[in-house]
């Protein structure tokens, strides 16, 4: 079964646990009974488990960032710049969160715990914002390319091979646009939560959302993550 295959991989399991974390958060804040308190506790424990597993994500993130390098192959300078900002801030996010984890477990007692959790959330928010700008820029660029390809097809070129190349490129670009929209919605939902978890009154809607609202936005982003990672045959069945 594909569910089992997802659970057998670290990334797949993390996405399923993430979905369960937000589902428990949403349901736990929908009432005041003892069961709701237990659901919020489950949500907190699952979130803590994910944080513990992220202690080992630094190297994979570094490998991915080194592979991208300075993004010299990217033609759009804004897309390239925003991708670099995203990569750098995610790389910063991990050690900052690790220090918070150590202070929260009373392993590092000389550090102030709340400063490090705020720092990790800020790094996450900056990375998300940069990626949102990148995706919007990419979508606009791809839409212009698709429109240009459609205009060229209307010219009815006598060269069938050129028409075939244009058609294939247009199909690829449309797929990229749809994928970019999914990631954009995912990032925007996560960005709403990131800002809301900052200290009250710090910026925008920080500290103003309920667990129920956080659960909704978290489930939206988690479901998109899970859909994108799900085996292709399940998506098309």
């Amino acid at each position: 079964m594909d569910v089992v295959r997802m659970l057998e991989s670290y990334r797949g399991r993390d996405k399923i646990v993430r979905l369960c974390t937000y589902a428990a958060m949403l349901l736990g804040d929908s009432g005041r009974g003892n069961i709701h308190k237990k659901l919020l506790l489950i949500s907190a424990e699952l979130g803590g488990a994910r944080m513990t597993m992220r202690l080992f994500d630094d190297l994979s993130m570094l490998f991915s960032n080194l592979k991208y390098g300075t993004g010299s192959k990217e033609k759009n300078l804004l897309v390239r710049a925003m991708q670099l900002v995203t990569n750098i801030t995610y790389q910063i996010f991990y050690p900052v969160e690790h220090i918070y984890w150590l202070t929260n477990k009373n392993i590092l007692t000389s550090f102030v715990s709340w400063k490090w959790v705020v720092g990790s959330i800020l790094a996450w928010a900056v990375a998300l914002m940069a990626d949102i700008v990148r995706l919007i820029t990419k979508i606009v660029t791809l839409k212009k390319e698709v429109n240009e390809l459609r205009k060229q097809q209307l010219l009815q070129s006598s060269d069938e091979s050129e028409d075939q190349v244009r058609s294939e490129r247009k199909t690829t670009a449309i797929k990229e646009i749809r994928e970019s929209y999914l990631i954009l919605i995912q990032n925007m939902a996560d960005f709403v939560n990131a800002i809301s978890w900052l200290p009250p009154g710090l910026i925008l809607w920080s500290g103003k959302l309920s667990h129920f609202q956080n659960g909704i936005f978290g489930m939206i982003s988690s479901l998109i993550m899970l859909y994108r990672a799900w085996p292709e045959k399940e998506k098309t069945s």
Side-chain angles (χ1 to χ4, degrees), residues 77-90:
L77 291 178
L78 182 57
V79 170
R80 179 181 177 182
M82 290 301 99
Q83 184 64 66
L84 287 171
V85 172
T86 301
N87 292 349
I88 292 169
T89 47
Y90 269 130

Side-chain angles (χ1 to χ4, degrees), residues 14 37 45 59 67 74 78 93 95 118 144 151 193 199 206 223 227:
D14 180 69
K37 293 179 181 178
E45 290 296 323
L59 287 178
K67 187 176 180 180
E74 178 57 59
L78 182 57
F93 164 82
V118 170
K144 287 181 180 179
K151 288 179 182 179
N193 275 346
S206 57
L223 284 169
Y227 170 77

Side-chain angles (χ1 to χ4, degrees), residues 38-203:
K38 291 180 178 179
L39 284 169
L40 288 176
L41 178 60
I42 290 172
S43 176
E45 290 296 323
L46 289 175
R50 293 185 64 238
M51 185 185 296
T52 301
M53 293 307 298
R54 283 198 296 271
L55 291 171
F56 306 94
D57 282 353
D58 300 70
L59 287 178
S60 59
M61 186 75 233
L62 181 61
F63 177 78
S64 176
N65 290 342
L66 290 175
K67 187 176 180 180
Y68 183 79
T70 58
S72 56
K73 294 181 180 179
E74 178 57 59
K75 296 179 181 179
N76 190 302
L77 291 178
L78 182 57
V79 170
R80 179 181 177 182
M82 290 301 99
Q83 184 64 66
L84 287 171
V85 172
T86 301
N87 292 349
I88 292 169
T89 47
Y90 269 130
Q91 195 67 62
I92 293 171
F93 164 82
Y94 287 108
V96 173
E97 187 186 57
H98 300 342
I99 294 173
Y100 165 68
W101 183 87
L102 291 167
T103 59
N104 193 47
K105 300 298 182 182
N106 294 318
I107 297 171
L108 288 178
T109 56
S110 58
F111 290 82
V112 181
S113 178
W114 71 267
K115 290 183 179 180
W116 293 98
V117 70
V118 170
S120 65
I121 294 171
L122 279 173
W124 185 36
V126 170
L128 289 168
M129 189 70 254
D131 206 38
I132 287 169
V133 174
R134 179 187 70 84
L135 287 164
I136 291 172
T137 305
K138 182 179 179 179
I139 289 169
V140 171
T141 303
L142 285 170
K143 281 188 173 182
K144 287 181 180 179
E145 182 181 352
V146 169
N147 289 333
E148 184 62 30
L149 289 168
R150 283 172 176 165
K151 288 179 182 179
Q152 291 176 5
Q153 284 183 321
L154 289 174
L155 295 176
Q156 296 180 345
S157 171
S158 57
D159 191 333
E160 292 185 4
S161 61
E162 286 186 9
D163 287 342
Q164 181 66 23
V165 170
R166 292 193 191 102
S167 180
E168 289 176 356
R169 177 53 197 156
K170 185 179 74 172
T171 301
T172 301
I174 290 172
K175 287 181 179 179
E176 288 182 23
I177 290 171
R178 290 172 180 170
E179 178 73 5
S180 295
Y181 269 123
L182 279 177
I183 303 172
L184 179 62
I185 295 168
Q186 171 191 312
N187 284 352
M188 290 176 73
D190 281 337
F191 183 75
V192 170
N193 275 346
I195 296 300
S196 76
W197 285 326
L198 290 170
L202 182 64
I203 185 174

Side-chain angles (χ1 to χ4, degrees), residues 20-39:
C20 293
T21 300
Y22 285 113
M25 185 183 295
L26 186 152
L27 294 173
D29 200 43
S30 60
R32 297 185 178 180
N34 192 45
I35 183 66
H36 299 291
K37 293 179 181 178
K38 291 180 178 179
L39 284 169

